[in-house]
Amino acid sequence: MALLLYRLGKFSYRHRWLVISLWLAVLLGMGGAAAAFHGTMSNNFQIPGTETQRMLDKLKKELPESSGGSAGIVFEAGEAGFTPAGKTAVGTAMTELRTLPDVQGTVDPFETQAQLDGAPAEISAAEAKLAAGQAELDASRTQLAAGQSQLAAAEQQMAAAGLPAEAIRAQLAPQRAQLAEGQAKLDAGAKEAADGAAALALGKRQLTASEGMRFVSTDGRAAIAQVQFKTSVNGLTPAVRQQVQDIVHGVSSAGVTALASKEITEDVSQLFGVSEIVGIAVAALALIVMLGTLIAAGLPLLMALIGVAVGVGGTFALTGVVDMSSISPMLALMLGLAVGIDYSLFIVNRHRGQLLAGMDPEESAALATGTSGNAVLFAGLTVVIALAALVVPGLPFLAVMGLSAAATVAVAVVVSLTLTPAVLSLIGRRLVSNRAWAKAARHNAEPGHEAADLERAEKRSSGGWGGLVTRHPWTALLAGVVLLGVLALPASQLRLALPDGGSEPVDSQAFKAYDLTRQSFGEGMTGPIVVVGEFPAGLSEDEARNKQFDVADELRSVDNVIAAAPLALSEDRRTAIFQVIPKEGPASASTVQVVSELRAKGKEIRESTGVTIGLTGQTAGNVDVSEKLGAALPPYLAIVVGLSLILLLLVFRSIVVPLLATGGFLLSLAAAFGAVVAVYQWGWLGAVFDVANPGAVLSFLPIILIGVLFGLAMDYQVFITSGMRESFMHGEDAKHAVRSGFRHAAAVVTAAAIIMVSVFAGFIFSHLTMVRPLGFAMAFGVLVDAFVVRMTIVPAVMYLLGGKAWWLPRWLDKLLPDADVEGASLQRTGAETLDKELVS
């Protein structure tokens, strides 16, 4: 592999304009495709096959007008509450929203609250009217009975007087007709009273079902409206979201503040924010410090940006045909920037060192591609494998995420191996500053500098951090393990959920809407649960309505349920929708329990009412996603670890090194989980990281972190350990090879880690709050993995083991192909031989 990459580097160096032109064409092509074919991103994390998705599909078929997504808008008035003008303004805004093509309907909070408030009085009036009617019926019934008695007595008197029967009937016919008419009126009145009693009973049940629900706060200072869309909220374009906000914000002219919920305000169309740019600026500063010139520092940045533009551009081009969440291009962007800078840096740094040592520029670029590029290839391969393995859990949105990020990393690797040597050919000697050239020339002119260089290298190997670790390996090992163990302790309390409005920045409209809703109406109103009921066939309208209330009564009996009310019934009376308001918010542990208990209640409801229920909506869907992701973690971790052991066994031809690399990765992973729980779930250092409302951790963070951190951890393992193996393969003592290999790799790995941490840290304050804990987890994970595991624990263990670290059974040694990741074949063969081979 080293030989192949050497040839690739030399080809790219010699044919720089061809390579640059090809990449320019690819870049323009991807940009054009992204502009022409991109669609709308969303944060739809539904999983096909779940109950949530099945119920949603059922609604689309049988109650399409209720199958779209809904979102809340909270209106806030001043101390005096809503004025008539304010109420009118809100009503006008609701009416205007209903005219939008994407809006199915709206719920006016004041009209709805008036109905709820007036319901008891209406019921009382209906009861009074029913009682009065009953009294009239009783009086009429008594009067009718008296008339019938009088008729019977008259008939007896006439018969006793000897009048013929026909004469009696004829004479009493008017009285009989009058009594029959009275009986008919009495029957009609009785039926009307029975219907009134039935309606009254339904009204009372409706009132009971509505208990606990309010649309205008008790203090009269807040009102919450609902907007029903024709499609899912995730499918709304940024233009529609903005149009909705513009309409409702028009109420400000009446002294009312409108706050749209997270579902409406969330804009996933923008990738870059200020914090991301700051992170890249810090990475650029680290490059300048390390490489010494703006040109040298700008080269890795340029390579990373080209790789990201191609990878993320391709991802955007697919949004028109693939349902893609906003996190997908963001993850690709984060990883593409981080690994793109690092991979190019490894090659550029080696080339720079070889130039200063007097090597021919073309030979140096080719050799750097064959050695450091070889490590880049295998390091990139580990990242690609880890990300592509996100397909295994069978979660569509996660598979898209993993594949888009894996493709971007693959592009970054190819850019580093081809475009980097081509641009190095274009830059030439300008890669190194004049001061560095002058210093190198003076040094190389000194007689006997080779021996002095060796002595200086030996001194540096035994000094610095690497020397300290290898002088006290047991102390370094124990300190590193204990530190990571302590950091990992909070991980045992990890709780997963998808974010709600409470996770947004405190100054955002989404958080203010969430907070006002929570304070004025209860936290459960921020995330109601939708229940779908399947009714038996052949029910009358009254029977179906009573079934609705029977089911609502059962739903309300679940712990931590504040209210459960029927919302809609299909025309064939076979499908009904219920809204359940939990006590706490959608991401809380109690609401997760409510979802579980509601599903468990389904069997009891079916047995008592004959109605089959299922849950859908955002809250239930989030719970489904979190549970599925939690269940997918162990098999995914097993797959990633298994693949890593095989790949590292091939790369390093050692039993110990893959086990050490994997064990170190697990320590870093646990520490990263612990830090995320402490900051985002417990709220430690919340003021620093802008965590105003600590809660459950992003549900797909663990599985993404496993894939990403594993790949990046293996990056540093490859770069650190390949230097040790290179020294060992060139005849150095195993323990000495640990020191010299560490010395060769430490500076560039340190710079690479700082760069990667800087890029990831830039996303900690991203405008997309869903990305923030992911950026923190990656930054922290890379920090502890690079400096605690790879640069402390690994050299300590390798030094303690000595030659045993490279032990491999002979039979396995014969079976494994030689990947030559350290480029030893290039060193042995020599550049001249390779050049002759290329010419021939």
Side-chain angles (χ1 to χ4, degrees):
M1 184 57 71
L3 181 59
L4 180 63
L5 293 177
Y6 173 90
R7 291 172 172 171
L8 179 63
K10 181 155 286 195
F11 175 87
S12 299
Y13 192 94
R14 289 179 173 177
H15 303 87
R16 58 180 179 268
W17 289 116
L18 173 63
V19 174
I20 292 172
S21 299
L22 287 174
W23 276 112
L24 183 60
V26 170
L27 182 63
L28 293 175
M30 284 300 179
F37 305 117
H38 75 90
T40 302
M41 290 184 296
S42 71
N43 279 329
N44 182 13
F45 303 115
Q46 294 291 338
I47 304 175
T50 60
E51 179 186 89
T52 303
Q53 191 62 46
R54 289 196 304 271
M55 291 299 103
L56 184 60
D57 294 339
K58 181 180 178 66
L59 287 181
K60 288 180 180 178
K61 180 180 179 181
E62 300 180 15
L63 265 173
E65 66 275 11
S66 300
S67 63
S70 64
I73 299 172
V74 191
F75 298 93
E76 184 177 20
E79 294 288 339
F82 287 93
T83 63
K87 293 179 180 180
T88 301
V90 172
T92 302
M94 294 298 101
T95 302
E96 188 175 354
L97 283 178
R98 285 194 289 270
T99 65
L100 297 181
D102 294 274
V103 174
Q104 181 72 42
T106 62
V107 176
D108 187 307
F110 298 106
E111 290 182 1
T112 308
Q113 189 63 52
Q115 293 172 2
L116 290 176
D117 292 342
E122 289 179 4
I123 288 176
S124 297
E127 286 179 331
K129 182 179 179 181
L130 185 63
Q134 188 64 49
E136 290 179 7
L137 281 176
D138 292 340
S140 298
R141 191 175 288 110
T142 301
Q143 186 178 1
L144 183 64
Q148 288 173 341
S149 298
Q150 291 175 1
L151 180 64
E155 188 175 9
Q156 289 177 357
Q157 289 176 358
M158 290 179 180
L163 290 175
E166 291 182 4
I168 294 173
R169 285 196 296 272
Q171 190 172 351
L172 296 179
Q175 289 87 340
R176 289 183 187 279
Q178 188 176 3
L179 287 174
E181 183 181 354
Q183 184 64 51
K185 289 181 178 180
L186 182 63
D187 292 340
K191 183 179 183 305
E192 184 180 350
D195 291 342
L200 179 62
L202 287 174
K204 288 181 177 180
R205 299 195 74 181
Q206 178 71 56
L207 182 63
T208 302
S210 302
E211 288 179 358
M213 296 184 69
R214 291 196 62 85
F215 294 86
V216 178
S217 62
T218 53
D219 62 5
R221 294 174 56 191
I224 184 168
Q226 292 290 327
V227 181
Q228 180 82 28
F229 296 97
K230 294 180 180 179
T231 61
S232 70
V233 178
N234 294 316
L236 297 176
T237 64
V240 172
R241 295 172 187 271
Q242 189 58 53
Q243 196 173 9
V244 170
Q245 293 179 66
D246 290 343
I247 290 173
V248 298
H249 288 160
V251 300
S252 60
S253 60
V256 177
T257 301
L259 299 170
S261 63
K262 175 177 179 286
E263 290 78 13
I264 296 176
T265 61
E266 189 172 51
D267 181 8
V268 297
S269 61
Q270 182 183 358
L271 288 184
F272 259 113
V274 175
S275 60
E276 291 89 340
I277 296 173
V278 171
I280 295 176
V282 174
L285 181 61
L287 286 169
I288 293 172
V289 171
M290 181 180 181
L291 299 176
T293 66
L294 289 175
I295 292 177
L299 179 56
L301 280 174
L302 177 63
M303 297 300 100
L305 290 174
I306 291 174
V308 162
V310 173
V312 177
T315 300
F316 260 110
L318 293 174
T319 55
V321 293
V322 177
D323 186 16
M324 190 175 297
S325 66
S326 62
I327 198 74
S328 297
M330 288 297 289
L331 181 63
L333 178 66
M334 275 194 288
L335 285 175
L337 284 174
V339 301
I341 293 172
D342 279 3
Y343 291 168
S344 183
L345 170 64
F346 288 124
I347 295 175
V348 170
N349 184 65
R350 183 137 189 171
H351 175 63
R352 180 178 179 275
Q354 290 169 171
L355 284 180
L356 289 172
M359 186 176 291
D360 174 71
E362 181 179 321
E363 185 62 32
S364 175
L367 190 60
T369 306
T371 52
S372 294
N374 203 9
V376 164
L377 177 64
F378 280 95
L381 185 60
T382 61
V383 181
V384 170
I385 288 174
L387 291 170
L390 289 171
V391 174
V392 174
L395 310 178
F397 74 88
L398 195 61
V400 172
M401 235 181 269
L403 291 176
S404 61
T408 303
V409 171
V411 170
V413 171
V414 179
V415 166
S416 299
L417 297 177
T418 57
L419 189 57
T420 298
V423 177
L424 287 174
S425 173
L426 199 63
I427 294 174
R429 291 173 58 88
R430 287 173 294 173
L431 183 73
V432 182
S433 66
N434 293 331
R435 180 182 298 177
W437 277 121
K439 183 178 179 181
R442 289 195 303 271
H443 175 74
N444 293 333
E446 294 176 359
H449 68 86
E450 293 87 354
D453 289 345
L454 289 174
E455 183 180 351
R456 191 179 300 108
E458 182 65 27
K459 186 175 181 181
R460 284 203 302 266
S461 296
S462 59
W465 183 253
L468 180 63
V469 168
T470 52
R471 282 198 304 275
H472 307 284
W474 282 111
T475 302
L477 174 60
L478 292 175
V481 171
V482 169
L483 174 62
L484 294 180
V486 171
L487 290 172
L489 288 177
S492 62
Q493 304 297 316
L494 179 66
R495 187 167 61 83
L496 303 178
L498 285 174
D500 54 25
S503 63
E504 298 292 307
V506 292
D507 59 345
S508 67
Q509 184 181 179
F511 179 84
K512 291 176 182 177
Y514 175 92
D515 193 48
L516 181 59
T517 302
R518 177 178 58 82
Q519 292 180 16
S520 303
F521 303 98
E523 197 171 358
M525 283 293 284
T526 63
I529 301 168
V530 179
V531 178
V532 180
E534 185 176 354
F535 284 15
L539 296 178
S540 67
E541 185 175 351
D542 283 349
E543 287 174 335
R545 290 194 66 190
N546 275 299
K547 285 282 186 189
Q548 282 184 287
F549 294 124
D550 290 340
V551 173
D553 290 342
E554 294 284 354
L555 296 175
R556 271 196 310 281
S557 68
V558 173
D559 290 341
N560 290 315
V561 169
I562 301 300
L567 286 188
L569 182 67
S570 62
E571 290 185 5
D572 61 1
R573 296 186 286 278
R574 293 296 307 277
T575 304
I577 302 177
F578 305 84
Q579 186 178 65
V580 176
I581 308 298
K583 182 179 180 180
E584 295 186 299
S588 68
S590 69
T591 300
V592 174
Q593 184 63 28
V594 166
V595 170
S596 177
E597 291 184 9
L598 285 173
R599 285 173 170 158
K601 191 82 172 177
K603 181 179 180 181
E604 183 180 333
I605 292 175
R606 186 169 59 252
E607 291 175 352
S608 62
T609 67
V611 177
T612 302
I613 67 165
L615 273 60
T616 189
Q618 192 71 33
T619 300
N622 290 354
V623 172
D624 281 348
V625 170
S626 299
E627 289 179 351
K628 289 286 185 181
L629 287 170
L633 273 178
Y636 176 71
L637 183 59
I639 291 169
V640 168
V641 169
L643 289 173
S644 75
L645 290 173
I646 295 172
L647 183 62
L648 291 173
L649 185 66
L650 173 66
V651 170
F652 292 112
R653 310 185 71 80
S654 162
I655 297 293
V656 172
V657 172
L659 293 175
L660 177 60
T662 304
F665 156 68
L666 294 176
L667 282 173
S668 301
L669 183 66
F673 281 159
V676 169
V677 169
V679 173
Y680 290 92
Q681 189 172 313
W682 293 354
W684 291 6
L685 301 177
V688 176
F689 295 102
D690 195 19
V691 183
N693 192 25
V697 173
L698 184 66
S699 57
F700 50 82
L701 182 148
I703 200 166
I704 292 179
L705 182 61
I706 288 172
V708 172
L709 186 58
F710 163 75
L712 301 180
M714 295 308 105
D715 277 5
Y716 295 124
Q717 180 72 24
V718 167
F719 292 124
I720 283 285
T721 318
S722 61
M724 299 175 184
R725 180 169 174 79
E726 185 174 348
S727 299
F728 180 70
M729 293 296 291
H730 292 156
E732 291 188 18
D733 172 76
K735 291 194 173 186
H736 189 274
V738 171
R739 288 183 171 180
S740 60
F742 184 91
R743 175 179 58 82
H744 286 300
V748 69
V749 168
T750 298
I754 292 173
I755 290 167
M756 196 167 286
V757 169
S758 300
V759 172
F760 288 150
F763 290 84
I764 294 176
F765 301 97
S766 172
H767 61 290
L768 292 177
T769 54
M770 190 180 298
V771 176
R772 293 183 175 191
L774 193 57
F776 174 85
M778 290 182 183
F780 189 84
V782 168
L783 183 69
V784 296
D785 190 85
F787 294 107
V788 180
V789 175
R790 308 304 155 189
M791 299 183 71
T792 303
I793 294 176
V794 167
V797 174
M798 297 285 287
Y799 190 84
L800 287 170
L801 291 175
K804 296 177 182 178
W806 305 109
W807 176 78
L808 186 70
R810 289 186 179 180
W811 62 269
L812 187 56
D813 186 46
K814 293 179 181 179
L815 287 176
L816 294 175
D818 187 6
D820 189 22
V821 70
E822 71 281 350
S825 61
L826 293 179
Q827 300 289 348
R828 291 193 301 268
T829 305
E832 295 80 10
T833 305
L834 288 170
D835 204 32
K836 290 177 183 178
E837 182 181 341
L838 287 172
V839 173
S840 62

